[in-house]
Amino acid sequence: MRDAKGQYLFDLICHHLNLLEKDYFGIRYVDPDKQRHWLEFTKSIAKQMKSQAPFTMCLRVKFYPPDPAALKEEITRYLVFLQVKRDLYHGRLLCKTSDAALLAAYILQ
């Protein structure tokens, strides 16, 4: 378990959430210098963490789906919705003001 790879943790999280459409997601963590990084699935988790426990890791949308309406699973749609909402709120989603207003209107529904 000490040499577990990032893929093991990701699969464990996806299984817990019953998340089948995994391709859009990844695990992000913050290093001691407050820089954000994506956990690499092929590398050991311990080798990627340069600080002492406890570690803060988050399941995040890594790739937005080109057509969100084509998502099959409700949990996938919900997690993408939460990420869009979060990114809009924090100003990380770059788009035209009219598109942001439309997305905000959808969020409020």
Side-chain angles (χ1 to χ4, degrees):
M1 197 61 130
R2 179 164 167 72
D3 295 325
K5 305 252 188 261
Q7 186 69 51
Y8 174 77
L9 178 61
F10 182 69
D11 289 341
L12 199 64
I13 292 167
C14 291
H15 181 268
H16 178 75
L17 294 172
N18 198 24
L19 180 62
L20 302 176
E21 297 171 292
K22 304 176 187 182
D23 295 341
Y24 304 108
F25 300 91
I27 299 173
R28 198 174 69 196
Y29 66 94
V30 179
D31 71 14
D33 297 322
K34 306 290 187 220
Q35 295 295 312
R36 296 181 187 119
H37 302 277
W38 290 103
L39 188 70
E40 293 188 41
F41 293 164
T42 58
K43 293 184 180 178
S44 163
I45 297 169
K47 288 184 180 179
Q48 295 181 65
M49 302 291 112
K50 294 181 174 53
S51 62
Q52 297 291 76
F55 305 114
T56 302
M57 298 181 181
C58 305
L59 181 71
R60 293 281 188 253
V61 173
K62 193 169 185 177
F63 305 104
Y64 284 105
D67 182 10
L71 295 172
K72 295 178 180 84
E73 300 288 323
E74 180 67 28
I75 185 69
T76 309
R77 286 191 298 272
Y78 180 66
L79 291 172
V80 169
F81 158 77
L82 289 177
Q83 187 69 45
V84 168
K85 179 179 161 184
R86 182 179 184 3
D87 287 349
L88 270 175
Y89 179 77
H90 290 287
R92 286 190 287 251
L93 190 59
L94 302 177
C95 60
K96 295 186 288 185
T97 306
S98 59
D99 292 340
L102 182 62
L103 286 170
Y106 287 141
I107 288 168
L108 291 173
Q109 285 182 351

